[in-house]
């Protein structure tokens, strides 16, 4: 009953409540982004959702408008130079992820679940297939994120995602939720999009390629 009804019900209630209660914060962050580097407040990025259906994830823009849009970020020379001042703060506190409450409300994501893989992370998607982790809604945070994040190799991350799917319950979701709160408060934010590389980078990896809203 929890997996088929209550989990989605909780997602809707909490995401809607979050949008209402945090509307002031969303506005303040939006203004700070515009003042720091005029341009669109949000960007979207192609991710793998439930059933391996692609969707657009929403985030606050943390990179300068001068960032080359026709070059993948990992191919940029010193990509950190393109991160804005407010963007660095948003990444450190994980507030750049806040717009995903709209993805949760629309049913593309859940509050807790495997972090959605990038559209081109075929190796991670294939590993998750072994555990049925592609058959559930991806989450804002999840079991793998509070048990190693990006220092985890792909097979380990996929196995933890599979463990979450197997043990999915209210108690498991609460454990992931409070574990995420602790990480954020310690500024040990959830990092996505990378595998086995956190020990090489002290800051949040730059997104692959950004598509900003016009």
């Amino acid at each position: 009953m929890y997996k088929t009804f209550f989990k989605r019900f909780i997602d809707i209630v909490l995401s809607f409540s979050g949008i209402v209660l945090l509307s002031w914060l969303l506005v303040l962050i939006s203004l700070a982004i515009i003042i720091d580097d005029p341009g669109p407040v949000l960007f979207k990025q192609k991710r793998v959702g439930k059933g391996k259906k692609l969707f657009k994830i929403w985030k606050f823009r943390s990179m300068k408008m001068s960032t080359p849009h026709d070059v993948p970020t990992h191919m940029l020379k010193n990509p950190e130079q393109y991160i804005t001042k407010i963007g660095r703060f948003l990444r450190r506190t994980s507030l750049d992820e806040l717009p995903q409450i709209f993805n949760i409300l629309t049913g593309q994501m859940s509050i807790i679940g495997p972090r959605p893989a990038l559209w081109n992370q075929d190796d991670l998607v294939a590993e998750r297939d072994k555990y049925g982790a592609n058959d559930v809604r991806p989450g804002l945070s999840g079991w793998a994120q509070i048990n190693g994040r990006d220092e985890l190799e792909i097979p380990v991350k996929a196995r933890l995602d599979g463990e979450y799917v197997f043990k999915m319950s209210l108690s498991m979701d609460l454990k992931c939720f409070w574990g995420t709160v602790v990480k954020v408060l310690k500024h040990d934010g959830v990092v996505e999009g990378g595998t086995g590389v956190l020990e090489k980078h002290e800051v949040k990896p730059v997104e692959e390629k950004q598509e900003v809203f016009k």
Side-chain angles (χ1 to χ4, degrees):
M1 181 66 77
Y2 177 74
K3 296 180 182 179
T4 58
F5 176 75
F6 284 111
K7 182 174 174 63
R8 178 60 189 148
F9 177 75
I10 292 173
D11 283 341
I12 293 173
V13 172
L14 292 185
S15 59
F16 180 78
S17 299
I19 291 171
V20 174
L21 296 176
L22 298 176
S23 57
W24 62 272
L25 181 58
L26 295 171
V27 172
L28 285 180
I29 292 176
S30 299
L31 290 174
I33 291 172
I34 294 173
I35 293 172
D36 189 10
D37 186 65
V41 170
L42 301 174
F43 75 88
K44 55 185 177 179
Q45 191 178 54
K46 194 186 303 181
R47 295 298 178 105
V48 180
K50 182 178 180 180
K52 293 188 284 189
K53 181 179 179 181
L54 298 180
F55 73 100
K56 299 288 187 177
I57 199 172
W58 291 12
K59 292 187 179 185
F60 278 123
R61 178 172 63 89
S62 59
M63 298 183 71
K64 299 176 181 178
M65 291 300 297
S66 60
T67 305
H69 296 294
D70 56 347
V71 179
T73 303
H74 68 275
M75 295 181 65
L76 293 171
K77 183 178 180 180
N78 188 21
E80 291 181 19
Q81 67 179 310
Y82 296 106
I83 302 177
T84 62
K85 293 178 181 179
I86 184 64
R88 196 172 301 280
F89 169 77
L90 293 176
R91 287 165 175 265
R92 185 167 62 88
T93 57
S94 295
L95 287 173
D96 60 323
E97 312 282 358
L98 200 53
Q100 287 163 46
I101 55 179
F102 291 96
N103 290 115
I104 295 171
L105 183 63
T106 59
Q108 296 170 319
M109 292 178 61
S110 180
I111 294 174
I112 302 298
R115 278 301 296 172
L118 290 164
W119 65 273
N120 57 355
Q121 282 186 298
D122 297 329
D123 46 359
L124 178 57
V125 173
E127 281 293 319
R128 283 177 169 174
D129 267 337
K130 300 177 181 179
Y131 304 100
N134 292 315
D135 299 328
V136 299
R137 287 187 180 88
L140 184 64
S141 185
W143 187 236
Q145 278 61 49
I146 65 171
N147 284 283
R149 305 172 317 280
D150 283 354
E151 65 266 66
L152 298 175
E153 297 295 334
I154 285 177
V156 179
K157 179 180 289 188
R159 180 173 57 77
L160 286 171
D161 289 333
E163 182 179 346
Y164 167 77
V165 173
F166 180 75
K167 297 180 178 180
M168 189 187 300
S169 63
L170 178 59
S171 61
M172 184 64 163
D173 280 2
L174 288 174
K175 186 182 296 185
C176 292
F177 179 83
W178 290 117
T180 300
V181 171
V182 171
K183 296 290 184 182
V184 172
L185 290 178
K186 289 182 176 181
H187 300 301
D188 186 16
V190 176
V191 181
E192 63 180 276
T195 50
V197 297
L198 188 59
E199 68 277 5
K200 300 178 183 178
H201 303 283
E202 295 182 353
V203 298
K204 196 170 185 178
V206 180
E207 289 85 355
E208 286 281 321
K209 186 177 181 181
Q210 302 189 28
E211 300 178 56
V212 294
F213 285 118
K214 302 300 183 181

